[in-house]
Amino acid sequence: MKFTLECSLIFSKPLKDVDIDSLLQGSSDVLQRGAPKGQGARIQKLQLKDDRLELTITSGRYVRPHDALFRLKNLLASELGKKYHIGIRDTEAKSYLIEFELECEPKKDLEIIYAKKIDFKGKNCILLLEDLDEGFLKKNCVDRMISLIKEKIQKQYYEGKEEYWELIWSSIEKKHVWSKNPTEVMEERGWIMHRGRGQWIFGPIATRIIKTMEQIVVDELLKPLSVDEVIIPKAVTWDVWKKSGHAKNLYGEIYYLCPPKSRDPKQWEDVVDIYKITGEVPTKLIKEKIKDPIGGMSYAQCPPFWPYVAGKTLSDEAMPLKVFDRSGTSMRYESGGIHGIERVDEFHRIEFVWIGYPDQVKKLHKEIIKHYKHIFNEILDLEWRMAFVTPWFMAQEGLLDLADEKKEIGTIDFEAYLPYRGTRKDSEWLEFQNASNNGDKYPKGFNVKAKGSNELYSGCTGIGLERWLSVFIAQKGIDPENWPKEFRERIGTVPNEIRFL
Ligand code: SER
Ligand code: ZN
């Protein structure tokens, strides 16, 4: 690693009659602090020009030149203030040249913002940055750029690789009543209706099925495990996604939230007038009158729960903490044209979150799976399977990781066979829910603690109701006569179909 920084300290007035050399006498000690002997940063060049001190600072692995610059600034500031009543107004850097070793050669060139130039020679990377301000230097953005370059190269190696997937359990093959596409059939019969982008209206029959399923989840999973209901916000602000890791990746899938710049009707009069006169909503003009996005609509459901416990210490009696939310929809901007109800932009999900000591989280994860087995085998009578996959939060952060060898921390996907998609072997099964032990990711990210220094884990399971409906109709059809007895008893009399003339 080799760093060369050309930078300046800018004073509140020109340094006349100031003996800069004597002020900097202690500098070599200061630039050496914390590094093995002789391996700290060094001042290679130094020139005083009116109100600025121009410096060239170099270093190897220890004491980055930008840290060195701030150490010098502190050293000088106190002396200059005391003796000459001069302050240091700013710091800036004309250029920053960084050479570092990579673990593996890049497969192709890559781009990174803020770089004036980036070159690779085998496993060596040469990065040139220019015109950097104090904030950039101070926030250690340079080191983050180095990590990001390494991350981008690593990504080149696993591009195109599939996410981790390992079958862990499978039900027996079952006989299904048909092989029709549930979305098409339900649409034809008016059970559901498509509304714009990946959004559906669920009529009385589809809603009754979904609500019955929700009740099954309450009766067979949440009540037996004493899970309390909470209401989690559905508008999620950046602070949450910074801590959950979603801010690292999601931008192409977010439905953004932009509040108005003003709620004063006067400010909106032109918009109103244009609409009243032309019948068109002037969206471009609206764009000028709204603020930058403050976040987006709920994406993964559980992250906006975490501020509730963030920075707190949980008592032993409170653990494992078990809560669930079903208070509204989550939204994801999906790609491509219209999909069926298996891939929607606005979806309904129940999510159960638990927090506790590692053993408690592990134990609950196992119990939850037992309850699900009972629901899918005995009540819904589905053909389904479970697979151990890349943890959902890693996938959502755009990371691919090897799975935990012990198969404790990570996500279990529940997948069902959809006969309309083809053979069991060749068709894509539908992931209709998941259950994860998320390890210490969330307690760490949101700084949640237990007594002493005991480690906390958390888990969550998301139940996708549109997907449950899709799986059920795909395997069982629309005639209640063919539905499993346990389910028929719970749903009671199905509402009449609504006929349109
Ligand atoms: N939060 C998890 C996910 O987004 C479970 O719902 O998949
Ligand atoms: Zn979750």
Short mmCIF file of all heavy atoms in Angstrom, two decimals, residues 86-127:
data_model
loop_
_atom_site.label_atom_id
_atom_site.label_comp_id
_atom_site.label_asym_id
_atom_site.label_seq_id
_atom_site.Cartn_x
_atom_site.Cartn_y
_atom_site.Cartn_z
N ILE A 86 -4.31 32.99 15.07
CA ILE A 86 -4.70 32.61 13.71
C ILE A 86 -5.38 31.24 13.78
O ILE A 86 -4.94 30.37 14.54
CB ILE A 86 -3.45 32.52 12.79
CG1 ILE A 86 -2.83 33.92 12.64
CG2 ILE A 86 -3.81 31.95 11.41
CD1 ILE A 86 -1.53 33.95 11.88
N GLY A 87 -6.47 31.08 13.02
CA GLY A 87 -7.17 29.80 13.03
C GLY A 87 -6.93 29.05 11.72
O GLY A 87 -6.40 29.61 10.76
N ILE A 88 -7.36 27.78 11.71
CA ILE A 88 -7.27 27.03 10.44
C ILE A 88 -8.69 26.92 9.90
O ILE A 88 -9.58 26.36 10.53
CB ILE A 88 -6.64 25.64 10.65
CG1 ILE A 88 -5.22 25.83 11.22
CG2 ILE A 88 -6.60 24.88 9.33
CD1 ILE A 88 -4.48 24.55 11.51
N ARG A 89 -8.87 27.52 8.71
CA ARG A 89 -10.20 27.68 8.16
C ARG A 89 -10.68 26.45 7.42
O ARG A 89 -11.84 26.08 7.44
CB ARG A 89 -10.17 28.88 7.20
CG ARG A 89 -11.50 29.51 6.88
CD ARG A 89 -11.34 30.93 6.32
NE ARG A 89 -10.32 31.04 5.27
CZ ARG A 89 -10.48 30.71 3.99
NH1 ARG A 89 -11.61 30.22 3.58
NH2 ARG A 89 -9.50 30.89 3.13
N ASP A 90 -9.78 25.76 6.77
CA ASP A 90 -10.22 24.65 5.91
C ASP A 90 -9.04 23.73 5.61
O ASP A 90 -7.88 24.11 5.79
CB ASP A 90 -10.77 25.24 4.60
CG ASP A 90 -11.75 24.28 3.92
OD1 ASP A 90 -12.01 23.20 4.49
OD2 ASP A 90 -12.24 24.62 2.83
N THR A 91 -9.39 22.55 5.12
CA THR A 91 -8.35 21.68 4.56
C THR A 91 -8.85 21.22 3.22
O THR A 91 -10.06 21.05 3.02
CB THR A 91 -8.12 20.42 5.43
OG1 THR A 91 -9.39 19.87 5.70
CG2 THR A 91 -7.42 20.71 6.71
N GLU A 92 -7.96 21.05 2.27
CA GLU A 92 -8.39 20.48 1.00
C GLU A 92 -7.26 19.68 0.39
O GLU A 92 -6.11 19.81 0.80
CB GLU A 92 -8.90 21.57 0.05
CG GLU A 92 -7.92 22.67 -0.23
CD GLU A 92 -8.56 23.81 -1.04
OE1 GLU A 92 -9.71 24.20 -0.75
OE2 GLU A 92 -7.90 24.28 -1.98
N ALA A 93 -7.62 18.84 -0.58
CA ALA A 93 -6.59 18.01 -1.21
C ALA A 93 -6.69 18.14 -2.71
O ALA A 93 -7.77 17.99 -3.29
CB ALA A 93 -6.77 16.56 -0.79
N LYS A 94 -5.57 18.46 -3.33
CA LYS A 94 -5.52 18.59 -4.78
C LYS A 94 -5.50 17.21 -5.42
O LYS A 94 -6.20 16.96 -6.39
CB LYS A 94 -4.25 19.36 -5.16
CG LYS A 94 -4.36 20.15 -6.43
CD LYS A 94 -3.25 21.19 -6.54
CE LYS A 94 -1.92 20.44 -6.67
NZ LYS A 94 -0.73 21.29 -6.68
N SER A 95 -4.70 16.34 -4.86
CA SER A 95 -4.68 14.99 -5.43
C SER A 95 -4.30 13.95 -4.37
O SER A 95 -3.61 14.26 -3.40
CB SER A 95 -3.71 14.92 -6.61
OG SER A 95 -2.41 14.73 -6.14
N TYR A 96 -4.81 12.76 -4.61
CA TYR A 96 -4.55 11.65 -3.69
C TYR A 96 -4.26 10.43 -4.56
O TYR A 96 -5.14 9.96 -5.29
CB TYR A 96 -5.79 11.41 -2.82
CG TYR A 96 -5.52 10.82 -1.47
CD1 TYR A 96 -6.49 10.85 -0.47
CD2 TYR A 96 -4.30 10.21 -1.15
CE1 TYR A 96 -6.27 10.32 0.80
CE2 TYR A 96 -4.07 9.69 0.11
CZ TYR A 96 -5.05 9.75 1.08
OH TYR A 96 -4.83 9.22 2.33
N LEU A 97 -3.04 9.96 -4.49
CA LEU A 97 -2.66 8.80 -5.29
C LEU A 97 -2.53 7.59 -4.35
O LEU A 97 -1.81 7.66 -3.35
CB LEU A 97 -1.33 9.08 -6.00
CG LEU A 97 -0.90 8.02 -7.01
CD1 LEU A 97 -1.81 8.03 -8.23
CD2 LEU A 97 0.54 8.25 -7.43
N ILE A 98 -3.21 6.54 -4.71
CA ILE A 98 -3.24 5.37 -3.82
C ILE A 98 -2.89 4.12 -4.62
O ILE A 98 -3.49 3.87 -5.67
CB ILE A 98 -4.66 5.21 -3.21
CG1 ILE A 98 -5.01 6.47 -2.41
CG2 ILE A 98 -4.75 3.99 -2.33
CD1 ILE A 98 -6.47 6.78 -2.38
N GLU A 99 -1.95 3.37 -4.12
CA GLU A 99 -1.62 2.09 -4.77
C GLU A 99 -1.84 0.99 -3.76
O GLU A 99 -1.35 1.07 -2.64
CB GLU A 99 -0.14 2.08 -5.16
CG GLU A 99 0.16 2.86 -6.41
CD GLU A 99 1.62 2.67 -6.80
OE1 GLU A 99 2.01 1.49 -7.08
OE2 GLU A 99 2.35 3.67 -6.79
N PHE A 100 -2.59 -0.02 -4.16
CA PHE A 100 -2.80 -1.12 -3.22
C PHE A 100 -2.95 -2.46 -3.93
O PHE A 100 -3.23 -2.53 -5.12
CB PHE A 100 -4.00 -0.84 -2.30
CG PHE A 100 -5.32 -0.66 -3.03
CD1 PHE A 100 -6.20 -1.73 -3.16
CD2 PHE A 100 -5.66 0.56 -3.57
CE1 PHE A 100 -7.41 -1.58 -3.82
CE2 PHE A 100 -6.87 0.72 -4.24
CZ PHE A 100 -7.74 -0.36 -4.37
N GLU A 101 -2.73 -3.50 -3.14
CA GLU A 101 -2.77 -4.87 -3.65
C GLU A 101 -4.18 -5.44 -3.56
O GLU A 101 -4.89 -5.19 -2.59
CB GLU A 101 -1.91 -5.76 -2.74
CG GLU A 101 -0.44 -5.69 -2.99
CD GLU A 101 -0.01 -6.60 -4.13
OE1 GLU A 101 -0.40 -7.78 -4.13
OE2 GLU A 101 0.71 -6.09 -5.03
N LEU A 102 -4.55 -6.21 -4.56
CA LEU A 102 -5.85 -6.87 -4.54
C LEU A 102 -5.67 -8.35 -4.25
O LEU A 102 -4.59 -8.89 -4.46
CB LEU A 102 -6.50 -6.73 -5.92
CG LEU A 102 -6.73 -5.30 -6.38
CD1 LEU A 102 -6.95 -5.28 -7.88
CD2 LEU A 102 -7.91 -4.70 -5.66
N GLU A 103 -6.78 -8.97 -3.79
CA GLU A 103 -6.70 -10.41 -3.57
C GLU A 103 -6.74 -11.16 -4.88
O GLU A 103 -6.11 -12.19 -5.06
CB GLU A 103 -7.85 -10.86 -2.68
CG GLU A 103 -7.45 -10.90 -1.23
CD GLU A 103 -8.65 -10.97 -0.32
OE1 GLU A 103 -9.61 -11.67 -0.66
OE2 GLU A 103 -8.62 -10.30 0.72
N CYS A 104 -7.53 -10.64 -5.82
CA CYS A 104 -7.56 -11.29 -7.13
C CYS A 104 -7.64 -10.23 -8.22
O CYS A 104 -8.19 -9.14 -8.00
CB CYS A 104 -8.71 -12.27 -7.24
SG CYS A 104 -10.15 -11.84 -6.28
N GLU A 105 -7.11 -10.59 -9.36
CA GLU A 105 -7.10 -9.66 -10.50
C GLU A 105 -8.52 -9.36 -10.97
O GLU A 105 -9.34 -10.27 -11.03
CB GLU A 105 -6.39 -10.33 -11.68
CG GLU A 105 -4.96 -9.90 -11.84
CD GLU A 105 -4.33 -10.61 -13.02
OE1 GLU A 105 -4.81 -10.44 -14.15
OE2 GLU A 105 -3.34 -11.34 -12.78
N PRO A 106 -8.81 -8.14 -11.36
CA PRO A 106 -10.14 -7.89 -11.91
C PRO A 106 -10.31 -8.61 -13.24
O PRO A 106 -9.34 -8.75 -14.00
CB PRO A 106 -10.17 -6.38 -12.10
CG PRO A 106 -8.76 -5.94 -12.09
CD PRO A 106 -7.98 -6.93 -11.30
N LYS A 107 -11.52 -9.07 -13.50
CA LYS A 107 -11.77 -9.77 -14.77
C LYS A 107 -11.99 -8.77 -15.89
O LYS A 107 -11.83 -9.08 -17.04
CB LYS A 107 -13.01 -10.65 -14.64
CG LYS A 107 -12.79 -11.84 -13.75
CD LYS A 107 -14.02 -12.72 -13.82
CE LYS A 107 -13.70 -14.13 -13.37
NZ LYS A 107 -14.87 -14.98 -13.46
N LYS A 108 -12.48 -7.59 -15.53
CA LYS A 108 -12.66 -6.54 -16.53
C LYS A 108 -12.56 -5.19 -15.81
O LYS A 108 -12.55 -5.14 -14.57
CB LYS A 108 -14.02 -6.69 -17.21
CG LYS A 108 -15.17 -6.78 -16.24
CD LYS A 108 -16.48 -6.99 -16.97
CE LYS A 108 -17.61 -6.98 -15.98
NZ LYS A 108 -18.72 -7.78 -16.20
N ASP A 109 -12.49 -4.13 -16.61
CA ASP A 109 -12.36 -2.80 -16.01
C ASP A 109 -13.59 -2.48 -15.18
O ASP A 109 -14.67 -3.00 -15.43
CB ASP A 109 -12.23 -1.73 -17.10
CG ASP A 109 -10.77 -1.65 -17.55
OD1 ASP A 109 -9.92 -2.22 -16.83
OD2 ASP A 109 -10.50 -1.05 -18.60
N LEU A 110 -13.41 -1.61 -14.23
CA LEU A 110 -14.60 -1.21 -13.48
C LEU A 110 -14.58 0.29 -13.25
O LEU A 110 -13.55 0.94 -13.34
CB LEU A 110 -14.71 -1.98 -12.17
CG LEU A 110 -13.59 -1.93 -11.16
CD1 LEU A 110 -13.72 -0.72 -10.26
CD2 LEU A 110 -13.66 -3.19 -10.31
N GLU A 111 -15.76 0.81 -12.97
CA GLU A 111 -15.87 2.24 -12.71
C GLU A 111 -16.22 2.46 -11.26
O GLU A 111 -16.89 1.65 -10.64
CB GLU A 111 -17.00 2.81 -13.57
CG GLU A 111 -16.59 3.00 -15.01
CD GLU A 111 -17.73 3.53 -15.85
OE1 GLU A 111 -18.62 4.21 -15.28
OE2 GLU A 111 -17.73 3.25 -17.06
N ILE A 112 -15.76 3.58 -10.74
CA ILE A 112 -16.17 3.95 -9.39
C ILE A 112 -16.22 5.47 -9.33
O ILE A 112 -15.37 6.16 -9.87
CB ILE A 112 -15.22 3.35 -8.32
CG1 ILE A 112 -15.73 3.67 -6.91
CG2 ILE A 112 -13.78 3.80 -8.51
CD1 ILE A 112 -15.11 2.83 -5.82
N ILE A 113 -17.27 5.92 -8.70
CA ILE A 113 -17.47 7.36 -8.63
C ILE A 113 -16.36 8.00 -7.78
O ILE A 113 -15.76 7.31 -6.96
CB ILE A 113 -18.88 7.66 -8.07
CG1 ILE A 113 -19.26 9.11 -8.36
CG2 ILE A 113 -18.98 7.34 -6.60
CD1 ILE A 113 -20.73 9.33 -8.48
N TYR A 114 -16.09 9.27 -8.00
CA TYR A 114 -15.07 10.07 -7.30
C TYR A 114 -13.65 9.80 -7.80
O TYR A 114 -12.73 10.52 -7.42
CB TYR A 114 -15.07 9.88 -5.77
CG TYR A 114 -16.38 10.20 -5.10
CD1 TYR A 114 -17.01 9.27 -4.28
CD2 TYR A 114 -17.00 11.43 -5.29
CE1 TYR A 114 -18.22 9.56 -3.65
CE2 TYR A 114 -18.21 11.72 -4.67
CZ TYR A 114 -18.80 10.78 -3.86
OH TYR A 114 -19.99 11.06 -3.25
N ALA A 115 -13.45 8.76 -8.60
CA ALA A 115 -12.08 8.46 -9.05
C ALA A 115 -11.79 9.27 -10.31
O ALA A 115 -12.58 9.28 -11.24
CB ALA A 115 -11.92 6.98 -9.32
N LYS A 116 -10.65 9.93 -10.32
CA LYS A 116 -10.22 10.61 -11.54
C LYS A 116 -9.68 9.56 -12.50
O LYS A 116 -9.89 9.62 -13.70
CB LYS A 116 -9.12 11.63 -11.16
CG LYS A 116 -8.67 12.51 -12.27
CD LYS A 116 -9.72 13.56 -12.57
CE LYS A 116 -9.32 14.29 -13.85
NZ LYS A 116 -10.39 15.19 -14.28
N LYS A 117 -9.00 8.58 -11.93
CA LYS A 117 -8.44 7.50 -12.74
C LYS A 117 -8.34 6.25 -11.90
O LYS A 117 -8.07 6.32 -10.71
CB LYS A 117 -7.03 7.89 -13.21
CG LYS A 117 -6.89 7.90 -14.72
CD LYS A 117 -5.59 8.51 -15.16
CE LYS A 117 -4.44 7.54 -15.07
NZ LYS A 117 -3.17 8.21 -15.39
N ILE A 118 -8.57 5.11 -12.55
CA ILE A 118 -8.33 3.86 -11.84
C ILE A 118 -7.68 2.89 -12.82
O ILE A 118 -8.20 2.67 -13.91
CB ILE A 118 -9.62 3.31 -11.19
CG1 ILE A 118 -9.38 1.94 -10.56
CG2 ILE A 118 -10.78 3.25 -12.12
CD1 ILE A 118 -10.50 1.51 -9.64
N ASP A 119 -6.52 2.39 -12.46
CA ASP A 119 -5.77 1.49 -13.34
C ASP A 119 -5.41 0.21 -12.59
O ASP A 119 -5.15 0.25 -11.40
CB ASP A 119 -4.45 2.14 -13.77
CG ASP A 119 -4.66 3.08 -14.94
OD1 ASP A 119 -5.55 2.79 -15.76
OD2 ASP A 119 -3.95 4.09 -15.01
N PHE A 120 -5.37 -0.87 -13.37
CA PHE A 120 -4.96 -2.13 -12.76
C PHE A 120 -3.76 -2.68 -13.49
O PHE A 120 -3.70 -2.66 -14.72
CB PHE A 120 -6.09 -3.15 -12.84
CG PHE A 120 -7.31 -2.72 -12.07
CD1 PHE A 120 -8.39 -2.13 -12.72
CD2 PHE A 120 -7.38 -2.90 -10.70
CE1 PHE A 120 -9.51 -1.72 -12.01
CE2 PHE A 120 -8.49 -2.49 -9.98
CZ PHE A 120 -9.56 -1.91 -10.64
N LYS A 121 -2.79 -3.14 -12.72
CA LYS A 121 -1.67 -3.89 -13.30
C LYS A 121 -1.61 -5.19 -12.54
O LYS A 121 -1.13 -5.22 -11.41
CB LYS A 121 -0.36 -3.12 -13.13
CG LYS A 121 -0.20 -1.97 -14.10
CD LYS A 121 1.26 -1.59 -14.31
CE LYS A 121 1.37 -0.33 -15.14
NZ LYS A 121 1.12 0.89 -14.34
N GLY A 122 -2.11 -6.25 -13.14
CA GLY A 122 -2.21 -7.52 -12.42
C GLY A 122 -3.04 -7.32 -11.17
O GLY A 122 -4.16 -6.84 -11.23
N LYS A 123 -2.43 -7.66 -10.02
CA LYS A 123 -3.18 -7.52 -8.76
C LYS A 123 -2.94 -6.18 -8.10
O LYS A 123 -3.27 -5.99 -6.93
CB LYS A 123 -2.76 -8.63 -7.80
CG LYS A 123 -3.34 -9.98 -8.14
CD LYS A 123 -3.02 -10.93 -7.01
CE LYS A 123 -3.50 -12.32 -7.29
NZ LYS A 123 -3.04 -13.24 -6.25
N ASN A 124 -2.35 -5.25 -8.85
CA ASN A 124 -2.06 -3.94 -8.29
C ASN A 124 -3.09 -2.93 -8.79
O ASN A 124 -3.39 -2.89 -9.98
CB ASN A 124 -0.65 -3.54 -8.73
CG ASN A 124 -0.02 -2.64 -7.71
OD1 ASN A 124 -0.22 -2.83 -6.52
ND2 ASN A 124 0.71 -1.64 -8.18
N CYS A 125 -3.60 -2.12 -7.89
CA CYS A 125 -4.56 -1.10 -8.31
C CYS A 125 -3.98 0.28 -8.02
O CYS A 125 -3.43 0.52 -6.95
CB CYS A 125 -5.87 -1.29 -7.56
SG CYS A 125 -7.05 0.02 -7.91
N ILE A 126 -4.09 1.17 -9.01
CA ILE A 126 -3.65 2.55 -8.81
C ILE A 126 -4.85 3.45 -8.97
O ILE A 126 -5.51 3.47 -10.01
CB ILE A 126 -2.56 2.93 -9.85
CG1 ILE A 126 -1.38 1.96 -9.69
CG2 ILE A 126 -2.09 4.37 -9.63
CD1 ILE A 126 -0.44 1.98 -10.85
N LEU A 127 -5.13 4.17 -7.91
CA LEU A 127 -6.34 4.99 -7.87
C LEU A 127 -5.93 6.44 -7.67
O LEU A 127 -5.12 6.75 -6.80
CB LEU A 127 -7.17 4.51 -6.66
CG LEU A 127 -8.42 5.27 -6.30
CD1 LEU A 127 -9.49 5.14 -7.38
CD2 LEU A 127 -8.99 4.76 -4.96
#
